[in-house]
Amino acid sequence: MEKAGKFYGLNGKKILIYGTGAIAKRLICLLSGFNIVGIIDRVQFTGEVNRIPIKMWDEIHEEDADIVIIAALARHHKEIYDRIVDKCIAYDMKIFDSDGNNLISYYGIMGNEKVNNIFFSKNEMELIQKIRKYDAISFDLFDTLIMRKTLEPTDLFDIVNKRIQEKNIVIQDFKKIRRKAELMSEGKDIYEIYNIFQKLSGLNVEECNAILHEEIKCEKEYIVPRKRMVEIMSQAVAFGKKVNIITNMYLPEKILSEILEENNIIGYERIYVSCEYGMSKGEGLFQKYLRDNAADNYLHIGDDAQEDGVGARKYNIDTYEIKSAYDMLKVSNFRHALSYVSNNNEKGILGLLISELFNNPFALYKSNGIVEISECRLFGKIFVAPMVVLYMLKLADTINGLKNCEGILFGSRDGYLLKKIYDKLCRNKFINMQEKSSWYFRASRKLCLKSAMMTEDNIKVLEDYKDECGVEEILTDILGIGTVSHYDELKYPDIKEYFLQYKDKIFNKSGVTRRNYYKYMDKFGIFRTKKYILCELTSQGTVQYALNQIFEKPLYGFYLCKRKGFVHFEVNTEACFKEIEENVRDIIENNNFLESILTSPEPSVVDMDENGEPIFANDNRDDEEVKSVMSVQDGIEEFFFEYIEKIFIEGQDINKKLPQFLLKMYKEVWLKGECLKLENRKLYDDLGTSYYIV
């Protein structure tokens, strides 16, 4: 009981045991009477240990547990710790080893600094020079020459499950059973795995063959080459080296050869696949390779420290270790994104991002983990696209829940890209969403306030903007009524009285603008008698309030973030983030950044002419600045539809903290190349009639 005494303070806490072996079983017995809520294991996903259920790490959510105890040999502690620490930090779960030592205190949260520094010093020229010294060069395959667009390999099973459900093949716990079948196959190929899968699942042969076919199809579809590593392999071939590929994998050589050919990976002599030889790299596959390829010296290149490092050196093969994109994420300044992922939808966002961000294993060379971004399209994918995904999915839910809605008004200018994405979503029917008519609707605070002045109560609202653009400027610049007298605070302690002396001019000017605005709406078939959703990013409700004065039915506002200013307006709204309810400082602080990215290529509208045509403000942005923003938008759109079409699973929520984290990270990277054009962008303040730097 001495050992149990080390855990005395944990009595009453919810405990997870990480491991299913002998150490775990002894620990469970030792902690009899403690609240052990589950067992976690990386390879075993189902069953029980001493009547305690085995769970997948993906299934653990905030407040499910207080403690994780790693029940494994000491040499595996760091590997397991690195795998779980981000979620544990995010969920405020402590991590102990089986002797009661606090591993967060021992290891810290930044990883092994010495090992990381060695990695940050690696570069492609170093590897090329090393290749020149050897006769025979072998490459690992997965996460070295190619990688999946998923965060972890088993995430692909979630996508397979989604697709077979669309074919009316429904199997509970597909991922767990598929993984169990793989373990029971003891290294056999995918065909044997599915023979076992059939017995475990109870499905018939035709259904299992359909799932097998879908998995192979997904494997091919989700593979991308690690381009720089493929180029390096081609250089090794050009140097006249004997080049082979060695991989632990259940896909046989025929399928792997097809994958490599489809990705234009050629020039190698042979693929050594574990499932075809009945042995892994560490169990003799390297030995088979050596027998087949006589040479004076050998170099193996791969990402797995154990299999590609220790396993190769056991046979006197020199090694060069790179990192997978996932491991690069863990040593970069983006690592805390892992704290916000649990389900496939969240992991899918990161999987797509790292397949580009860390496709090059030398992307962090001399970086100390700070990411560099040099392409505008990639900039859009990394920092903005995940927030757009969140916004559009929430909008779809809102549309589905509203009755008697005629259509959607995407307010200018930050509704420009959102409208394009919405229309394409409707055409392709990627998600469950009612199709509604949509318009890119010319609206600005200046235009809408100018058109909405019909009563003294409307005029009173103008007081809210005195600090933003000045009292006199409200009348001259916003409402456009001409020259006014100097505002004397002593003479007019009630600002409303100062405004009301010009009410006739205000009403007349507003009437003209309103009639012209109606002409604009009539051109596009927007009826003031119908019910519409108004979509914007972050707002205090000004535009919605003003438009409600000129529409006969009040608009329903949908926003990324609803600001505190909404308390002044009686308007119906929905938002992804609510400032008065949640800590959304990052969204508020980065609102101008988002608006400057999602904006239209044309300037802000300030009025309507007598033909119902918009009158625009001057635009001080140059062509290069607009071009760079449009390139960022191309990246956002590309990411959005790849994610929705290939990754997204209906019914799984996305943790809002993930896109929120990625959004604020644009300030934490080095901008290079064409992304330098994104610095010091100008954003028009449509009330203050000025530009400010984003």
Side-chain angles (χ1 to χ4, degrees), residues 304-316:
D304 190 312
Q306 192 64 34
E307 290 292 317
D308 296 310
V310 175
R313 290 190 291 271
K314 185 168 70 173
Y315 295 97
N316 296 316

PDB file of all heavy atoms in Angstrom, residues 304-316:
ATOM      1  N   ASP A 304      10.414   7.690 -38.474  1.00  0.00           N
ATOM      2  CA  ASP A 304      10.130   6.969 -37.229  1.00  0.00           C
ATOM      3  C   ASP A 304      11.446   6.668 -36.503  1.00  0.00           C
ATOM      4  O   ASP A 304      12.262   5.871 -36.976  1.00  0.00           O
ATOM      5  CB  ASP A 304       9.381   5.672 -37.541  1.00  0.00           C
ATOM      6  CG  ASP A 304       8.837   4.988 -36.289  1.00  0.00           C
ATOM      7  OD1 ASP A 304       9.602   4.837 -35.314  1.00  0.00           O
ATOM      8  OD2 ASP A 304       7.652   4.603 -36.290  1.00  0.00           O
ATOM      9  N   ALA A 305      11.631   7.314 -35.355  1.00  0.00           N
ATOM     10  CA  ALA A 305      12.892   7.163 -34.623  1.00  0.00           C
ATOM     11  C   ALA A 305      13.166   5.712 -34.272  1.00  0.00           C
ATOM     12  O   ALA A 305      14.326   5.271 -34.258  1.00  0.00           O
ATOM     13  CB  ALA A 305      12.867   8.018 -33.356  1.00  0.00           C
ATOM     14  N   GLN A 306      12.123   4.932 -34.005  1.00  0.00           N
ATOM     15  CA  GLN A 306      12.312   3.539 -33.604  1.00  0.00           C
ATOM     16  C   GLN A 306      12.532   2.645 -34.823  1.00  0.00           C
ATOM     17  O   GLN A 306      13.558   1.989 -34.950  1.00  0.00           O
ATOM     18  CB  GLN A 306      11.099   3.060 -32.802  1.00  0.00           C
ATOM     19  CG  GLN A 306      11.305   1.722 -32.101  1.00  0.00           C
ATOM     20  CD  GLN A 306      12.389   1.769 -31.027  1.00  0.00           C
ATOM     21  OE1 GLN A 306      12.562   2.777 -30.354  1.00  0.00           O
ATOM     22  NE2 GLN A 306      13.127   0.673 -30.889  1.00  0.00           N
ATOM     23  N   GLU A 307      11.571   2.634 -35.737  1.00  0.00           N
ATOM     24  CA  GLU A 307      11.636   1.722 -36.881  1.00  0.00           C
ATOM     25  C   GLU A 307      12.684   2.155 -37.901  1.00  0.00           C
ATOM     26  O   GLU A 307      13.441   1.334 -38.418  1.00  0.00           O
ATOM     27  CB  GLU A 307      10.262   1.620 -37.549  1.00  0.00           C
ATOM     28  CG  GLU A 307       9.220   0.884 -36.730  1.00  0.00           C
ATOM     29  CD  GLU A 307       9.535  -0.606 -36.598  1.00  0.00           C
ATOM     30  OE1 GLU A 307       9.938  -1.229 -37.603  1.00  0.00           O
ATOM     31  OE2 GLU A 307       9.391  -1.146 -35.496  1.00  0.00           O
ATOM     32  N   ASP A 308      12.718   3.453 -38.225  1.00  0.00           N
ATOM     33  CA  ASP A 308      13.651   3.937 -39.250  1.00  0.00           C
ATOM     34  C   ASP A 308      15.015   4.292 -38.673  1.00  0.00           C
ATOM     35  O   ASP A 308      15.989   4.412 -39.417  1.00  0.00           O
ATOM     36  CB  ASP A 308      13.076   5.176 -39.951  1.00  0.00           C
ATOM     37  CG  ASP A 308      11.808   4.860 -40.718  1.00  0.00           C
ATOM     38  OD1 ASP A 308      11.819   3.889 -41.489  1.00  0.00           O
ATOM     39  OD2 ASP A 308      10.796   5.574 -40.541  1.00  0.00           O
ATOM     40  N   GLY A 309      15.069   4.476 -37.365  1.00  0.00           N
ATOM     41  CA  GLY A 309      16.329   4.810 -36.718  1.00  0.00           C
ATOM     42  C   GLY A 309      16.963   3.594 -36.076  1.00  0.00           C
ATOM     43  O   GLY A 309      17.892   2.982 -36.616  1.00  0.00           O
ATOM     44  N   VAL A 310      16.435   3.213 -34.914  1.00  0.00           N
ATOM     45  CA  VAL A 310      16.979   2.072 -34.165  1.00  0.00           C
ATOM     46  C   VAL A 310      16.917   0.793 -35.003  1.00  0.00           C
ATOM     47  O   VAL A 310      17.884   0.013 -35.049  1.00  0.00           O
ATOM     48  CB  VAL A 310      16.213   1.885 -32.840  1.00  0.00           C
ATOM     49  CG1 VAL A 310      16.694   0.636 -32.121  1.00  0.00           C
ATOM     50  CG2 VAL A 310      16.363   3.120 -31.964  1.00  0.00           C
ATOM     51  N   GLY A 311      15.772   0.585 -35.689  1.00  0.00           N
ATOM     52  CA  GLY A 311      15.603  -0.635 -36.476  1.00  0.00           C
ATOM     53  C   GLY A 311      16.636  -0.784 -37.574  1.00  0.00           C
ATOM     54  O   GLY A 311      17.138  -1.880 -37.839  1.00  0.00           O
ATOM     55  N   ALA A 312      16.984   0.324 -38.239  1.00  0.00           N
ATOM     56  CA  ALA A 312      17.978   0.268 -39.318  1.00  0.00           C
ATOM     57  C   ALA A 312      19.393   0.113 -38.779  1.00  0.00           C
ATOM     58  O   ALA A 312      20.199  -0.669 -39.312  1.00  0.00           O
ATOM     59  CB  ALA A 312      17.873   1.529 -40.171  1.00  0.00           C
ATOM     60  N   ARG A 313      19.685   0.851 -37.719  1.00  0.00           N
ATOM     61  CA  ARG A 313      21.046   0.795 -37.163  1.00  0.00           C
ATOM     62  C   ARG A 313      21.379  -0.581 -36.600  1.00  0.00           C
ATOM     63  O   ARG A 313      22.552  -0.971 -36.514  1.00  0.00           O
ATOM     64  CB  ARG A 313      21.223   1.889 -36.101  1.00  0.00           C
ATOM     65  CG  ARG A 313      21.248   3.297 -36.713  1.00  0.00           C
ATOM     66  CD  ARG A 313      21.671   4.337 -35.697  1.00  0.00           C
ATOM     67  NE  ARG A 313      20.682   4.535 -34.652  1.00  0.00           N
ATOM     68  CZ  ARG A 313      19.679   5.400 -34.714  1.00  0.00           C
ATOM     69  NH1 ARG A 313      19.506   6.143 -35.813  1.00  0.00           N
ATOM     70  NH2 ARG A 313      18.831   5.535 -33.703  1.00  0.00           N
ATOM     71  N   LYS A 314      20.344  -1.331 -36.233  1.00  0.00           N
ATOM     72  CA  LYS A 314      20.560  -2.697 -35.742  1.00  0.00           C
ATOM     73  C   LYS A 314      21.234  -3.559 -36.804  1.00  0.00           C
ATOM     74  O   LYS A 314      21.942  -4.522 -36.489  1.00  0.00           O
ATOM     75  CB  LYS A 314      19.207  -3.303 -35.337  1.00  0.00           C
ATOM     76  CG  LYS A 314      19.323  -4.672 -34.694  1.00  0.00           C
ATOM     77  CD  LYS A 314      18.003  -5.095 -34.051  1.00  0.00           C
ATOM     78  CE  LYS A 314      16.945  -5.397 -35.086  1.00  0.00           C
ATOM     79  NZ  LYS A 314      15.708  -5.960 -34.476  1.00  0.00           N
ATOM     80  N   TYR A 315      21.037  -3.186 -38.069  1.00  0.00           N
ATOM     81  CA  TYR A 315      21.646  -3.938 -39.182  1.00  0.00           C
ATOM     82  C   TYR A 315      22.798  -3.151 -39.815  1.00  0.00           C
ATOM     83  O   TYR A 315      23.143  -3.360 -40.979  1.00  0.00           O
ATOM     84  CB  TYR A 315      20.572  -4.244 -40.235  1.00  0.00           C
ATOM     85  CG  TYR A 315      19.496  -5.163 -39.713  1.00  0.00           C
ATOM     86  CD1 TYR A 315      18.289  -4.645 -39.240  1.00  0.00           C
ATOM     87  CD2 TYR A 315      19.692  -6.539 -39.655  1.00  0.00           C
ATOM     88  CE1 TYR A 315      17.293  -5.479 -38.745  1.00  0.00           C
ATOM     89  CE2 TYR A 315      18.703  -7.386 -39.169  1.00  0.00           C
ATOM     90  CZ  TYR A 315      17.509  -6.846 -38.703  1.00  0.00           C
ATOM     91  OH  TYR A 315      16.529  -7.687 -38.212  1.00  0.00           O
ATOM     92  N   ASN A 316      23.381  -2.235 -39.021  1.00  0.00           N
ATOM     93  CA  ASN A 316      24.537  -1.441 -39.458  1.00  0.00           C
ATOM     94  C   ASN A 316      24.228  -0.573 -40.681  1.00  0.00           C
ATOM     95  O   ASN A 316      25.095  -0.332 -41.533  1.00  0.00           O
ATOM     96  CB  ASN A 316      25.743  -2.350 -39.757  1.00  0.00           C
ATOM     97  CG  ASN A 316      26.224  -3.075 -38.514  1.00  0.00           C
ATOM     98  OD1 ASN A 316      26.335  -2.471 -37.440  1.00  0.00           O
ATOM     99  ND2 ASN A 316      26.493  -4.367 -38.641  1.00  0.00           N
TER     100      ASN A 316
END
